Amino acid sequence: MPPPKAIFFDINETLLDMAEMKHGLAPLLGGNEDLVDLWFANLLHHSLVDIASNQFHDFINIGAAALVMVAHSKGFSVSEDEALNAIKSHVTKLPAHDDVKPTLSKLQSLNVPLVALSNSSIEGLKTQLEFAGIVECFTHVLSTEKIKTYKPYPDAYRWACKEVGVEPKDAMMVAAHGWDVSGAKAIGMQTTFVNRPGKMMYPLGLAPDLNVESLTGLEQEMKKGA
């Protein structure tokens, strides 16, 4: 695998710790933090439903709708406004995982562009990165809202590579989500799966080029190829 000419990073769960979201949204779901994982899965699912049905809604609004649905399925009543306000209150206040800042700093020394690529709105994404103290680590901060589609649709990755000026084969996507890895791999990008707690590759997905326990493992692999 040739050294990548740009490294793209997914944000939520890959770089940012979602525990704060669990604490913040659980009160709307009977105090059950496990249901927040179900909410996030529904958010991702319905973002793809939007694109497949030729619609486009802001990611956070899809998140609010998904929260209403999950609450309803468990016998709780939550309005869209309540859901939206709760998500907004917490999604921009997520800390980075412990390995993120040190690794991004070391990767910067390799003179490879580091790119934040998210389905979140550009405003929300920048706020997240600023709160986590890592926005300065990235040469590009990209939101798929600009092209009104969502990862893992192929156009999202092709557009991102074009924005950075690299061919997919020369770019690497780093994510803690098997669907993100498979989406990037499908257009020819190099990929790294980060084994965050509770995460695993989709068994039927396209295998990543690298499988690391933390971002530290990615940094070590990049140094080997430098």
Side-chain angles (χ1 to χ4, degrees), residues 175-202:
H177 300 121
W179 55 265
D180 211 348
V181 168
S182 286
K185 192 69 176 175
I187 71 149
M189 292 179 74
Q190 300 175 36
T191 54
T192 294
F193 179 72
V194 185
N195 287 278
R196 293 300 186 197
K199 300 300 174 185
M200 67 175 288
M201 270 300 300
Y202 172 43

Side-chain angles (χ1 to χ4, degrees), residues 121-144:
S121 70
I122 190 63
E123 180 182 355
L125 175 57
K126 287 180 177 178
T127 301
Q128 283 186 305
L129 298 177
E130 287 169 0
F131 180 86
I134 56 175
V135 67
E136 69 281 355
C137 295
F138 298 102
T139 58
H140 299 75
V141 176
L142 303 178
S143 165
T144 58

Side-chain angles (χ1 to χ4, degrees), residues 48 83 89 104 117 174 176 186:
L48 301 188
S89 296
L104 293 181
L117 176 60
V174 179

Side-chain angles (χ1 to χ4, degrees), residues 25 28 64 67-68 77-88:
L25 298 187
L28 297 180
L67 186 56
V68 170
S77 179
V78 177
S79 72
E80 287 192 45
D81 283 344
E82 287 177 312
L84 186 61
N85 289 334
I87 294 169
K88 284 182 175 179

Side-chain angles (χ1 to χ4, degrees), residues 18 29 35 50 72 93 98 109 157-158 169 178 185-186 212:
M18 294 281 284
L29 299 169
L35 291 181
D50 245 32
H72 176 77
K93 298 176 182 177
D98 291 342
S109 68
Y157 304 100
R158 292 194 182 105
K169 65 181 178 62
K185 192 69 176 175
V212 298

